[in-house]
């Protein structure tokens, strides 16, 4: 009850994030835009990618690892593509710029693919995949993860990241279908959460350097994540890393900076976003009704013993969003303490 | 030795396939094009998708399930997109047309996305993803599989297929990186192969309707395939099915025809291909050298106990292609017998 009544609204959370970012040296408009996207991440239930990241971002800004006066430029451009230089801005600024450009281009060309270099961690993949939904477009987003936790299949050198993909598809009377997934069985954030809670991990998330299951998250540094489907997940991570990193002149492989361990070195993070205009293929209203029918078909499947419902990707996101719009965003006591310390250090009003 | 010396070259195999298709009623030029692609499937080691499929295709043609005089049309077009109506042609004709159109468009726009409806089984996904390589483009291909073997996560109604994805990326001095994967742990073809050989399947490929592991491939009809990464693979299959099927006005979900069981009903298969021009983002020659460096980095990783090398997706494909170019394409005795019967029935010269 007490914690519920203390839950900030997205607007309150956004204002708090913005004043911290401004105090750290980010320009007012940039801080407002980043804060809006970070608080949206919390609103949609991506707790590991919203305000939780603020102390880390501020530390990086203060260490000179982020450009506080960036000029985001287009380096290469064709009618349906662009390569953006993020000028080491906060990733949210780079990727929202990229998504907007992709949507603008796709309106005439039907599809657009915009890649970025010199970007940074931009929060949850689904944020950018969902932006094109407002224009009746399908969105697709891929990022090179901000730390390598995955070796090539059969190896032990951590050359790959969880390299997530998100795809968002609108419907008429249901929530959009939003897939947002790492190419590993567990995202590294889940390992950190297990460590914080003192819980063991299930077998299948990680192995150690001898190939044995690693279930103690406190020993996570001794092992690495496992890809989905074994060599298939390795293949997906490799391909996504090349498309989001190498193709854009961004870091991939040994060049990826572990932004959890290093707050100073420029990360040169790479990402790309694709906007696909539904109207180039179908009547958008009819298509959205067909996605309702996809919902209906999947939901109506008979159930496997031990399961009590079929869920569609994006269903939990929609439910959490509705709940948090109505009742605010829960902030765990330890996180609130860290945010209070941060606010005091920055000399701004607490959340 | 004997079997080795009997191995047909790709040219010999292609001519055999073409004369069978012509005898079955396919137009000469269409038969030659399809035969070239089918024999390429064998050449690159995709044994389950080449001449192996010929008896099934001929049966479908003879049953009226394929249009032998198709007119492949563009239904919708923007500068970077097209929606193709395959007019129920052989899938190889539809998808090679689509890939060529995508390459042509991407040359100016930078990226192009071409979707198809009223197509058919088109062989291995990698064939179409690899076509753009010849123009220094990256290729991407996704198909709705030609039979549903996968329920939504937690369900038992087979509403989804293995919906494969292929992505091809060129390098300078190494083979191209070619990922070609089903969204299930095992493709259904591997189950069929195990059944033919009388082998058991490992746990993790299939479960039965009670959720128990199914390892006897003779009982495959009693169960279903498992997706990679559990709900993640289900999510990928769902998204790929919508993008390749629903968006194109092609079959998805309950509308998918099991083309192994039914040779007459029009399948309305959906696929799409994306061509991404490397030159829109980077100097193509430099990029290909960077992919060589990706090869080098992955290959140089220390090894996990029990593994003796790191492989890249496409490495086996390249090795098999080289071997078969030099020594011909092995045709298993049972398959050769089936092809002899087919040739005799069609009144054409045997392989």
């Amino acid at each position: 009850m007490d914690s519920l009544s203390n839950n900030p609204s997205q607007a309150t959370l956004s204002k708090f994030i913005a004043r911290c970012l401004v105090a750290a040296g980010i320009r007012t408009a940039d801080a407002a835009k980043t804060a809006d996207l970070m608080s949206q991440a919390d609103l949609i239930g991506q707790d590991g990618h919203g305000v939780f990241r603020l102390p880390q971002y501020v530390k990086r800004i203060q260490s000179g690892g982020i450009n506080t006066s960036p000029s985001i430029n287009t380096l290469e451009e064709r009618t349906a593509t662009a390569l953006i230089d993020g000028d080491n801005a906060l990733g949210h600024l780079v990727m929202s710029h990229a998504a907007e450009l992709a949507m603008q281009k796709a309106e005439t060309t039907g599809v657009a693919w915009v890649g970025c270099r010199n970007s940074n961690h931009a929060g949850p993949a689904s944020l950018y995949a969902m932006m094109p939904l407002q224009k009746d477009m399908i969105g697709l987003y891929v990022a090179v993860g901000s730390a390598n936790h995955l070796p090539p299949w059969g190896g032990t050198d951590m050359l790959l990241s969880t390299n997530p993909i998100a795809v968002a598809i609108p419907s008429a009377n249901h929530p959009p279908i939003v897939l947002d997934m790492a190419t590993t069985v567990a995202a590294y954030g889940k390992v950190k959460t297990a460590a914080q809670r003192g819980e063991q991990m299930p077998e299948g998330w990680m192995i150690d350097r001898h190939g044995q299951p690693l279930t103690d998250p406190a020993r996570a540094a001794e092992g690495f994540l496992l890809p989905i489907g074994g060599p298939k997940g390795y293949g997906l991570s490799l391909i996504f890393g090349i498309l989001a990193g190498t193709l854009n002149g961004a870091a991939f492989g040994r060049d990826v900076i572990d932004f959890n361990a290093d707050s100073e070195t420029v990360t040169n993070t790479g990402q790309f976003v694709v906007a696909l205009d539904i109207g180039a293929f179908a009547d958008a209203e009819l298509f959205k009704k067909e996605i309702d029918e996809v919902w209906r078909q999947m939901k109506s499947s008979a159930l496997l013993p031990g399961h009590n419902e079929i869920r569609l990707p994006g269903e939990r996101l929609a439910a959490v969003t509705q709940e948090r719009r109505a009742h605010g965003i829960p902030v765990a006591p330890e996180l609130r303490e860290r945010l209070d310390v941060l606010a005091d250090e920055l000399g701004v009003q607490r959340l």
Side-chain angles (χ1 to χ4, degrees), chain A:
Chain A
M1 297 253 281
D2 186 36
S3 75
L4 253 183
S5 59
N6 275 334
N7 286 353
S9 66
Q10 191 207 340
T12 301
L13 188 62
S14 183
K15 279 181 203 145
F16 170 73
I17 296 171
R19 64 182 175 259
C20 289
L21 290 174
V22 168
I26 301 294
R27 295 178 298 211
T28 310
D30 289 352
K33 193 169 207 171
T34 305
D36 179 50
L37 289 163
M38 287 176 66
S39 58
Q40 264 185 52
D42 285 301
L43 186 73
I44 67 177
Q46 291 270 10
D47 297 1
H49 284 290
V51 69
F52 173 82
R53 298 278 183 173
L54 184 61
Q56 186 182 6
Y57 291 163
V58 167
K59 186 178 175 196
R60 179 162 266 277
I61 294 163
Q62 290 174 333
S63 308
I66 295 280
N67 183 355
T68 54
S69 308
S71 166
I72 299 172
N73 285 314
T74 300
L75 294 177
E76 301 283 346
E77 188 163 22
R78 299 236 196 122
T79 51
T81 56
L83 172 62
I84 301 293
D85 184 333
D87 198 19
N88 198 30
L90 285 162
H92 305 71
L93 300 174
V94 185
M95 286 319 299
S96 55
H97 177 93
E100 279 156 29
L101 182 58
M103 285 152 63
Q104 200 181 306
K105 285 175 170 288
E107 216 151 1
T108 51
T109 57
V111 67
W113 181 305
V114 177
C116 297
R117 67 168 67 154
N118 289 322
S119 180
N120 278 290
H121 189 268
S126 41
L127 271 189
Y128 307 98
M130 287 171 79
M131 283 183 181
L133 293 178
Q134 60 190 264
K135 298 252 184 192
D136 279 347
M137 293 179 184
I138 290 167
L140 190 154
Y141 170 89
V142 170
V144 181
S146 297
N148 283 345
H149 295 294
L150 180 72
W153 186 247
T156 59
D157 288 6
M158 288 191 278
L159 295 166
L160 297 162
S161 182
T162 52
N163 297 352
I165 184 173
V167 184
I169 298 173
S171 70
N173 297 305
H174 285 85
I177 294 179
V178 182
L179 181 72
D180 182 347
M181 55 170 264
T183 53
T184 47
V185 176
Y188 205 73
K190 291 183 81 171
V191 176
K192 284 192 211 164
T193 306
Q196 278 174 355
R197 293 182 182 160
E199 293 171 359
Q200 292 293 293
M201 302 183 289
E203 275 191 27
W205 282 18
M206 295 189 81
I207 55 171
D208 66 21
R209 285 167 186 284
H210 309 289
Q212 299 304 309
L214 195 161
T215 55
D216 178 1
R219 288 179 51 220
E222 297 168 36
F224 24 80
L225 296 175
L226 281 167
I228 56 170
K232 293 186 179 185
Y234 150 58
L236 284 175
S237 176
L238 181 75
I239 292 280
F240 292 163
I242 291 169
L243 293 178
T246 313
L247 183 64
N248 297 330
F252 178 61
R254 293 202 193 278
D255 296 335
V256 168
I257 303 295
D258 181 349
F259 92 137
N260 296 304
D262 174 347
S263 291
E264 292 169 23
T265 312
V266 172
T267 63
N268 188 14
T269 300
Q271 295 119 337
F272 72 85
V273 62
V274 175
L276 182 66
D277 191 4
I278 293 164
F281 297 86
D283 178 275
E285 296 311 314
L286 284 180
F287 173 78
K288 289 192 279 183
K289 282 184 187 144
E290 278 161 18
I291 300 304
D292 282 349
E293 169 62 14
V294 170
W295 272 85
R296 201 195 57 72
Q297 281 193 20
M298 299 299 148
K299 283 285 185 188
S300 69
S301 165
L303 294 170
L304 204 59
H307 290 257
N308 53 21
E309 64 167 339
I310 306 289
R311 292 169 86 168
L312 277 88
E315 187 169 355
R316 183 182 157 275
L317 183 155
V320 170
T321 304
Q322 197 177 18
E323 159 69 24
R324 293 185 176 184
R325 273 220 180 93
H327 301 294
I329 294 165
V331 180
E334 316 80 56
L335 177 57
R336 192 175 273 271
E337 256 175 60
R338 290 177 63 208
L339 296 176
D340 285 348
V341 169
L342 181 72
D344 295 352
E345 281 172 7
L346 291 168
V348 300
Q349 195 192 329
R350 290 181 175 190
L351 177 61

